[in-house]
Amino acid sequence: MDTKTQILSIASDLLQRQTVNGFSLQDVADRVGIRKASLFHHYRNKEALVADVLENSLNGFRTRVESMHNQPAQRQLDAFLDIYQRRIGAGSRLCSVSGVTGDWDHLGEEPRYWALELLYEQTAWLKRIAELAGFAHSPAEAEAWAEQIMVRIQGAMLLSRVQSSPLPLERTIALMRTEWARTTSAS
């Protein structure tokens, strides 16, 4: 793994575990095993690094969505939930966007842009899933459904992190699955 990839990986982990204000460039340099001055060869400041972490998260998300494009709605929904339940690690980490929201008013334009893009892409995928699965009968209903899923998942992730347990997210997902099963069987 090259140095820049290591920097991104470590910064992403720190952002998800400690949020944007919980780590410094020195923390990243120490974990990579380089001098802080060497870090500036790759990133002009912490804001640029955080923006790159968010952009990298967005690109990974897009790759995931593209790989699921022709799958049935339920499989796509499972893949979406898997991102939060298994890939991020409920109970020990937050998603990248949550790692910056606590400092949103002080966050620079570039990290804000990438955070919003990631949220918009996630919501757009959920909206398509809602339409494909028949959870919504209009674009407005699909938008509202997608927004509610994001609210419930993000809230459960926060509660899981505070409790250091994946249970709040697992319970939320189980409840949503029960609701979806009722919706699809009633159709």
Side-chain angles (χ1 to χ4, degrees), residues 58 61-77 80 117-147 149-150:
L58 175 60
F61 181 79
R62 284 177 174 158
T63 299
R64 182 83 165 157
V65 171
E66 288 170 16
S67 74
M68 299 300 299
H69 181 70
N70 292 324
Q71 298 296 319
Q74 188 59 51
R75 210 127 171 236
Q76 290 188 46
L77 190 53
F80 178 84
E117 283 297 306
L118 183 52
L119 283 175
Y120 293 149
E121 294 267 343
Q122 290 177 349
T123 304
W125 190 22
L126 285 169
K127 185 178 173 185
R128 286 190 301 273
I129 292 169
E131 292 166 343
L132 185 61
F135 295 140
H137 303 293
S138 71
E141 275 185 25
E143 183 87 26
W145 184 88
E147 184 178 89
I149 298 305
M150 288 298 295

Side-chain angles (χ1 to χ4, degrees), residues 24-26 29-30 34-41:
S24 67
L25 289 177
Q26 186 65 58
D30 290 347
I34 61 175
R35 292 185 338 258
K36 184 177 174 183
S38 298
L39 194 62
F40 290 113
H41 172 71

Side-chain angles (χ1 to χ4, degrees), residues 2 13 39 41 45 53 57-59 63 90 92 101 103 105 108 120 133 149 151 161 165 170 173 180 185:
D2 68 357
D13 183 61
L39 194 62
H41 172 71
N45 55 33
V53 166
S57 294
L58 175 60
N59 290 334
T63 299
S92 62
T101 56
D103 198 41
D105 290 340
Y120 293 149
I149 298 305
V151 166
R161 179 66 180 112
S165 169
E170 290 172 3
I173 289 173
W180 298 331
S185 66

